[in-house]
């Protein structure tokens, strides 16, 4: 009887204003959806299945692509421009995928445990000032350099063989350049209480552990400190003006002076306000540094891939060389001789009688075909080395050097860049390291050219010897550049300079004169590290990487230290560890712009934060309730500043709130699934409420008095036949998730019997058409 009354109430409400929420379609789906998110700029819906496949559908439900990242996906969000979808994984990775084809653009290890929430926010144009335009920064690299090189590819190798770039290089370049135009920050939270911040989703700029952030409370006579223990992040939201971040976390609240507080309120869901004004106050500086640093990181990967590929290519060619020439020492031993391979070739070069072992090796074991095969392999590897150096390695190192010089110049502007941790001494050091790498690349090119020239002369001479020995039995050998052949035999038959330069554990000895000249150059501005010529190319690159990590760690640490806790509000307690582990219930956080004040600049505006959450049954002695609070971030208590306030709303007994989402214009969308019984197949409701139509009650901001604030509120009953909002009846039992797009004005819901229903939230349809749709 009660259920019939509720349906009649819903029907009367719908009849009063026409049936709301036009049903676009109702489609069966062959999988269970656990995450879903609308693209903010296009009519695209990204979904994650229970087995962690990622699907992208158009508004008409046409599937564009499906990918299987091979990892358990735990969170999802879109970039502000809708061109990239970010995925958080169970093992702490943040994956960035291209919207066009689903290919992975980036993989960042930001966390050690599961990334349970993501939030990607772009700096609002309205938050910019004239000062921002004055301090705007132009990337001058394109003035002096061609487009940055991409990962090298060598003919004859599959992409899987190289272990380097896939086929999405153009998309990666477009991604990097596009994200350097508008300042944006990707925030990610994990189940151990850590929050990471990445500019453009690429450059890590800060990390905090909410369990280690002190929460200071000032009373009239004394200050008390609290902190969270064992907290797990469930939701994060950074404001569009970048001033504040609101997060929800499940954990225990303790008094660091008294070790604990009342047990009935210490464990539960807490709302935390973090001051992130460093992002807003220094966004121009951060934009400039991250723009250069992100490009440098891309180019570092190009250098790494180039060295790796050159090492593999040369190693393959030399393995063939040693495989063929290894037969000569065995033949020398078999003939009872005590000479070496080098001695045998020197004897042949200077006209001594050809030994039986060398004759057999040249005529039978090696032969003309075998020698040509080795020469071709060495020559091909040499060409590939030259291509990789000239088209990938050298331009990448040169652009890195230019960008580091730009950062070095910025670091000397202490009044602006010292506050974000751009250290002048560290930038001087890393700039010197990249200068040494440029010298190493030049040395490698010269050594490689010399080695290949010696190989070419040696093979040419040996080939003539083989032809003569095959044509007629004679001891006469063709003339050769004996000096070059001797150098080859002395230095290359047992040693490999190219290989040594591509290995990190090699140490080179410099002659006294060279070492003295390098030391003298210090006076004229040369490198202070005079031992760099003793290192290999690979070792110098390794040292550059370490120097870069140290230089970029300083801004990371500095920014992290300037993110502070401004307030904490316990929302509801839980009484058991099992309840705490399952407390990641439905919640939503949003910031809404307020009316502009004519007395202020037209570029300025204020934001009001709204937090909506479902309260577990039994907590706060409530059942089937949701809570809504606002103005949590307005910490200044003045007459003109709105106070922290909220209300509780009890759902009808016949329905359970399975999910919720804040919508535009201070609205909230509730997904109410009917309770299944043998008498009723189960019907559900989608309800859109105007939040401001409900009476808000003031809440305390001060710990520990605010621990009981929500409990003192009287829960309001949700009346479906009022004018507080719109109600849509749905002939299915519903399950999570609820995907709502404020920018597109649509919502997608999923039924327990695996149906996807898409509704247009901002349009009404004729009642007759709606009834026909529901009957399908």
């Amino acid at each position: 009887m009660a259920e019939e009354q509720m349906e009649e109430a819903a029907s009367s409400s719908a009849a009063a204003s026409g049936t709301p929420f036009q049903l676009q379609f109702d489609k069966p789906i062959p999988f269970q959806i656990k995450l879903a998110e609308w693209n903010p700029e296009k009519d695209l819906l990204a979904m994650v299945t229970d087995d962690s496949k990622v699907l992208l559908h158009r508004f008409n439900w046409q599937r564009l692509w499906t990918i299987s990242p091979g990892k358990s996906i735990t969170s999802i969000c879109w970039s502000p421009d809708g061109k990239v979808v970010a995925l958080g994984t169970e093992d702490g990775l943040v994956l960035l995928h291209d919207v066009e084809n689903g290919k992975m653009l980036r993989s960042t290890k930001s966390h050690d445990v599961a990334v349970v929430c993501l939030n990607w926010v772009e700096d609002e144009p309205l938050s910019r000032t004239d000062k921002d335009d004055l301090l705007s920064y132009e990337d001058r690299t394109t003035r002096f350099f061609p487009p940055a090189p991409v990962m090298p590819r060598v003919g004859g190798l599959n992409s899987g063989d190289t272990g380097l770039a896939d086929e999405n290089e153009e998309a990666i370049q477009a991604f990097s350049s596009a994200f350097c135009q508008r300042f944006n920050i990707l925030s990610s939270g994990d189940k151990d209480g850590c929050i990471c911040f990445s500019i453009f989703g690429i450059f890590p700029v800060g990390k905090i552990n909410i369990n280690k952030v002190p929460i200071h409370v000032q009373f009239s006579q004394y200050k008390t400190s609290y902190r969270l223990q064992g907290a797990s992040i469930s939701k994060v939201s950074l404001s569009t003006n970048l001033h504040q971040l609101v997060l929800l976390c499940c954990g225990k609240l303790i008094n660091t002076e008294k070790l604990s507080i009342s047990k009935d309120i210490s464990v539960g869901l807490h709302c935390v306000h973090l001051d992130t004004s460093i992002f807003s106050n220094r966004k121009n500086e951060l934009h400039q540094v991250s723009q250069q640093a992100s490009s440098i990181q891309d180019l570092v990967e190009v250098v790494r891939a180039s060295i790796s590929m050159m090492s593999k290519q040369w190693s393959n060619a030399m393995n063939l060389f040693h495989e063929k020439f290894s037969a000569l020492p065995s033949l020398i031993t078999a003939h009872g001789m005590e000479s070496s391979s080098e001695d045998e070739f020197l004897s042949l070069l200077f006209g001594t009688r050809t030994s039986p072992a060398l004759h057999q090796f040249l005529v039978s074991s090696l032969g003309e075909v075998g020698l040509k095969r080795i020469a071709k392999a060495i020559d091909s590897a040499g060409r590939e080395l030259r291509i990789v150096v000239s088209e990938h390695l050298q331009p990448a190192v040169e652009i890195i050097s230019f960008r580091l010089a730009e950062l070095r110049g910025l670091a000397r502007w202490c009044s602006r860049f010292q506050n974000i941790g751009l250290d002048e001494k560290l930038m001087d050091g890393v700039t010197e390291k990249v200068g040494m790498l440029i010298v190493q690349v030049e040395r490698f090119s010269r050594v490689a050219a010399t080695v290949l020239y010696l190989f070419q002369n040696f093979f040419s001479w040996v080939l003539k010897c083989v032809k003569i020995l095959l044509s007629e039995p004679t001891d006469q050998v063709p003339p050769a550049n004996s000096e070059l052949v001797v150098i080859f035999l002395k230095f290359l038959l047992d040693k490999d300079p190219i290989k040594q330069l591509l290995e990190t554990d090699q140490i080179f000895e410099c002659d006294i004169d060279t070492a003295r000249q390098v030391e003298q150059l210090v006076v004229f501005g040369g490198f202070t590290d005079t031992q760099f010529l003793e290192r290999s190319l690979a070792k110098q690159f390794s040292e550059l990487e370490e120097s870069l990590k140290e230089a970029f760690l300083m801004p990371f640490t500095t920014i992290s230290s300037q993110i502070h806790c401004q307030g904490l509000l316990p929302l509801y307690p839980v009484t058991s560890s099992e309840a705490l582990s399952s407390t990641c219930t439905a919640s939503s956080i949003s910031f809404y712009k307020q009316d502009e004040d004519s007395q202020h600049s037209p570029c300025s505006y204020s934001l009001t934060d709204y937090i909506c959450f479902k309260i577990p049954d039994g907590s706060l002695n409530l059942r089937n309730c949701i809570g809504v609070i606002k103005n949590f971030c307005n910490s200044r208590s003045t007459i003109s500043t709105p106070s922290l306030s909220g209300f509780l709303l009890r759902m009808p007994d016949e329905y359970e709130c399975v999910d919720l989402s804040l919508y535009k214009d201070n609205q909230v969308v509730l997904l109410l699934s009917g309770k299944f019984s043998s008498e009723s197949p189960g019907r559900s409701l989608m309800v859109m409420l105007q939040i401001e139509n409900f009476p808000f009650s003031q809440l305390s901001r001060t710990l520990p008095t605010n621990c009981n604030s929500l409990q003192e509120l009287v829960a309001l009953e949700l009346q479906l036949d009022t004018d507080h909002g719109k109600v849509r009846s749905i002939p299915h039992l519903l399950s999570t998730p609820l995907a709502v797009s404020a920018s597109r004005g649509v919502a997608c819901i999923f039924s327990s019997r695996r149906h996807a229903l898409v509704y247009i939230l901002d349009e009404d349809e004729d009642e007759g058409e709606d009834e026909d749709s529901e009957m399908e």
Side-chain angles (χ1 to χ4, degrees):
M1 180 65 66
E3 182 179 355
E4 293 177 357
Q5 292 176 351
M6 294 304 302
E7 289 186 4
E8 290 177 2
S11 300
S12 62
S13 175
S17 58
T19 304
F21 312 144
Q22 177 184 349
L23 176 65
Q24 185 69 14
F25 59 79
D26 181 348
K27 297 284 187 181
I29 51 178
F31 29 70
Q32 189 69 35
I33 301 297
K34 66 177 181 179
L35 299 169
E37 190 81 13
W38 285 101
N39 188 302
E41 295 294 328
K42 304 175 183 178
D43 290 328
L44 300 173
L45 179 66
M47 296 171 287
V48 180
T49 64
D50 272 353
D51 58 351
S52 289
K53 287 185 174 64
V54 185
L55 319 171
L56 185 68
H57 281 244
R58 292 188 185 276
F59 183 69
N60 60 5
W61 212 245
Q62 174 192 0
R63 189 182 303 181
L64 297 182
W65 47 256
T66 302
I67 60 173
S68 298
K71 299 180 181 295
S72 177
I73 305 301
T74 52
S75 54
I76 185 173
C77 80
W78 285 95
S79 63
D81 64 358
K83 295 181 179 180
V84 178
V85 60
L87 305 172
T89 70
E90 183 71 29
D91 55 357
L93 291 173
V94 175
L95 312 176
L96 305 182
H97 288 261
D98 186 7
V99 66
E100 296 296 332
N101 49 31
K103 289 191 176 293
M104 187 168 67
L105 302 171
R106 287 295 180 100
S107 175
T108 306
K109 181 67 172 177
S110 304
H111 301 264
D112 297 324
V113 295
V115 181
V116 294
C117 54
L118 294 167
N119 176 246
W120 207 333
V121 173
E122 187 172 65
D123 175 35
E124 282 280 357
L126 290 177
S127 67
R128 299 176 186 173
T129 64
D130 295 337
K131 179 183 177 182
D132 295 334
D133 296 331
L134 180 64
L135 299 176
S136 60
Y137 176 74
E138 175 195 3
D139 182 11
R140 301 183 299 171
T141 311
T142 54
R143 292 188 186 182
F144 308 103
F145 294 92
V150 298
M151 297 287 190
R153 289 182 172 277
V154 176
L157 286 181
N158 297 323
S159 59
D161 295 332
T162 65
L164 303 175
D166 60 11
E167 299 146 0
N168 214 31
E169 293 165 348
E170 294 182 1
I172 292 175
Q173 280 191 316
F175 164 71
S176 299
S177 60
F179 272 78
C180 290
Q181 303 305 315
R182 291 284 298 275
F183 187 69
N184 58 76
I185 297 178
L186 173 62
S187 308
S188 55
D190 66 34
K191 66 179 184 180
D192 276 356
C194 290
I195 305 170
C196 295
F197 303 94
S198 300
I199 299 178
F200 311 135
I202 302 173
F203 181 61
V205 73
K207 181 176 184 179
I208 63 169
N209 187 334
I210 197 64
N211 294 297
K212 298 180 180 179
V213 175
I215 305 166
H216 300 297
V217 177
Q218 182 69 52
F219 289 99
S220 58
Q221 300 296 332
Y222 61 92
K223 178 182 290 187
T224 304
S225 296
Y226 292 84
R227 67 178 176 86
L228 290 162
Q229 186 179 75
S232 174
I233 308 295
S234 61
K235 185 79 69 175
V236 295
S237 181
L238 182 65
S239 62
T240 52
N241 61 10
L242 310 180
H243 276 283
Q244 54 257 339
L245 179 136
V246 174
L247 65 91
L248 300 179
C249 62
C250 309
K252 182 178 182 180
L253 180 65
I254 64 173
N255 187 321
T256 56
E257 298 176 3
K258 299 180 180 179
L259 299 181
S260 66
I261 61 175
S262 178
K263 293 183 179 180
D264 61 338
I265 59 174
S266 62
V267 181
L269 184 72
H270 307 284
C271 185
V272 181
H273 169 208
L274 296 180
D275 178 7
T276 57
S277 56
I278 182 66
F279 294 139
S280 176
N281 296 338
R282 296 294 176 180
K283 61 186 175 185
N284 290 287
E285 293 85 347
L286 290 171
H287 193 167
Q288 296 171 37
V289 172
S290 56
Q291 182 174 349
Q292 297 290 357
S294 300
S295 178
I296 289 171
Q297 289 177 341
D298 285 341
L299 294 168
V300 164
E301 294 304 315
V302 173
V303 175
R304 186 198 319 281
S306 299
I307 293 176
S308 175
M309 179 165 286
M310 291 191 302
S311 178
K312 185 168 186 176
Q313 285 292 100
W314 185 251
S315 177
N316 290 341
M318 292 305 295
N319 286 342
L320 179 61
F321 172 79
H322 290 298
E323 177 186 347
K324 292 296 183 181
F325 275 76
S326 62
L328 181 54
S330 300
L331 291 174
I332 293 173
T333 303
H335 284 81
M337 304 169 60
E338 297 181 354
S339 58
S340 64
S341 300
E342 177 187 337
D343 294 335
E344 291 298 318
F345 278 109
L346 288 175
S347 298
L348 179 63
L349 177 65
F350 293 111
T352 308
R353 182 180 178 87
T354 306
S355 68
L358 182 59
H359 188 280
Q360 182 179 351
F361 169 73
L362 293 176
V363 174
S364 303
S365 301
L366 183 61
E368 183 177 351
V369 175
L371 185 61
K372 288 182 177 180
R373 181 187 173 194
I374 299 173
K376 183 178 180 180
I378 297 293
D379 182 65
S380 177
R383 286 199 307 271
E384 298 294 353
L385 292 184
R386 286 192 292 270
I387 291 173
V388 173
V389 170
S390 62
E391 297 183 5
H392 302 277
L393 178 61
Q394 187 168 357
V397 173
E398 290 173 351
I399 297 177
I400 290 175
S401 177
F402 181 84
R403 290 192 177 277
L404 284 174
E406 294 278 277
L407 288 176
R408 185 187 184 188
L410 295 177
R412 295 183 176 182
W413 195 348
C414 298
S415 61
R416 286 188 61 194
F417 291 91
Q418 195 172 48
N419 291 332
I420 64 168
L422 194 63
D423 187 86
E424 183 178 353
K425 290 184 178 179
L426 292 177
M427 293 312 305
D428 288 344
V430 74
T431 304
E432 180 170 285
K433 295 290 185 185
V434 76
M436 296 175 186
L437 185 60
I438 292 177
V439 175
Q440 293 282 7
V441 171
E442 178 64 24
R443 179 171 74 166
F444 177 84
S445 298
R446 296 189 179 191
V447 169
T450 301
V451 168
L452 292 170
Y453 180 66
L454 292 175
F455 263 110
Q456 182 181 5
N457 278 272
F458 176 74
F459 286 142
S460 177
W461 172 68
V462 174
L463 181 60
K464 293 177 181 179
C465 293
V466 171
K467 289 181 177 180
I468 292 176
L469 293 175
L470 288 174
S471 62
E472 54 180 311
T474 177
D475 292 334
Q476 298 295 324
V477 295
N481 188 329
S482 58
E483 183 179 355
L484 294 178
V485 175
V486 170
I487 293 174
F488 177 87
L489 295 173
K490 289 286 187 182
F491 297 100
L492 297 183
L493 202 59
D494 295 323
K495 296 181 181 180
D496 186 350
I498 293 180
K499 179 183 177 181
Q500 291 175 336
L501 286 172
L502 296 174
E503 293 179 344
T504 57
D505 56 352
Q506 293 293 329
I507 299 178
F508 298 90
E509 294 183 1
C510 293
D511 59 84
I512 298 177
D513 291 338
T514 301
R516 186 180 296 111
Q517 291 174 1
V518 171
E519 292 175 356
Q520 291 173 351
L521 288 175
V522 177
V523 181
F524 301 98
F527 302 131
T528 57
D529 181 1
T530 59
Q531 309 298 318
F532 71 96
L533 288 179
E534 298 179 3
R535 295 188 286 270
S536 65
L537 170 65
K539 179 63 175 178
Q540 190 64 60
F541 172 65
S542 177
E543 292 198 0
L544 172 63
E545 280 193 294
E546 292 300 320
S547 185
L548 282 170
K549 288 180 181 178
E550 183 181 8
F552 292 150
L553 181 62
M554 185 61 72
F556 181 90
T557 305
T558 303
I559 296 299
S560 300
S561 66
Q562 298 186 54
I563 299 174
H564 308 289
C565 178
Q566 290 291 97
L568 182 142
L569 176 66
L571 297 181
Y572 56 76
V574 294
T575 56
S576 65
S577 58
E578 291 79 7
L580 180 62
S581 63
S582 61
T583 305
C584 296
T585 54
S587 59
S588 182
I589 306 172
S590 188
F591 293 87
Y592 296 113
K593 296 177 184 176
Q594 300 305 300
D595 294 335
E596 296 178 0
D597 191 342
S598 58
Q599 297 179 356
H600 294 79
S601 168
C603 293
S604 64
Y605 66 95
S606 61
L607 294 172
T608 298
D609 56 282
Y610 283 80
I611 302 134
C612 188
F613 52 93
K614 179 184 176 183
I615 302 174
D617 289 347
S619 181
L620 300 176
N621 298 318
L622 298 172
R623 298 189 64 84
N624 207 14
C625 281
I626 67 167
V628 178
I629 62 175
K630 69 175 181 178
N631 295 316
F632 176 54
C633 294
N634 293 332
S635 57
R636 298 178 182 176
S637 30
T638 62
I639 297 177
S640 60
T641 301
S643 61
L644 171 65
S645 57
F647 67 87
L648 301 178
L649 188 63
R650 181 180 292 111
M651 303 297 105
D653 293 337
E654 293 75 17
Y655 298 94
E656 176 188 6
C657 180
V658 295
D659 208 348
L660 53 84
S661 178
L662 287 163
Y663 191 54
K664 56 187 176 182
D665 300 326
N666 302 337
Q667 296 170 323
V668 62
V669 178
L670 305 178
L671 207 56
L672 306 182
S673 183
K675 297 179 180 180
F676 180 81
S677 66
S678 58
E679 300 178 355
S680 173
R683 295 178 65 85
S684 302
L685 301 176
M686 182 164 60
V687 183
M688 180 188 291
L689 302 176
Q690 189 69 37
I691 298 176
E692 295 301 329
N693 290 340
F694 293 88
F696 281 80
S697 299
Q698 186 170 345
L699 302 173
S700 172
R701 294 184 179 274
T702 308
L703 279 171
T705 57
N706 64 2
C707 290
N708 296 313
S709 294
L710 289 179
Q711 193 170 11
E712 294 173 355
L713 296 179
V714 177
L716 307 172
E717 298 287 345
L718 174 59
Q719 302 294 332
L720 299 178
D721 57 348
T722 65
D723 295 331
H724 287 329
K726 301 177 181 179
V727 181
R728 172 62 187 246
S729 179
I730 301 170
H732 304 292
L733 293 178
L734 301 179
S735 62
T736 57
L738 165 65
V740 174
S741 171
S743 61
R744 316 308 291 176
V746 295
C748 182
I749 61 178
F750 302 91
S751 73
S752 56
R753 61 185 183 92
R754 295 190 176 182
H755 271 237
L757 300 90
V758 173
Y759 289 91
I760 299 177
L761 298 180
D762 293 337
E763 295 182 10
D764 291 348
E765 63 175 343
D766 294 333
E767 184 175 358
E769 294 177 356
D770 172 72
E771 292 176 355
D772 293 340
S773 335
E774 290 188 3
M775 294 299 293
E776 293 179 357

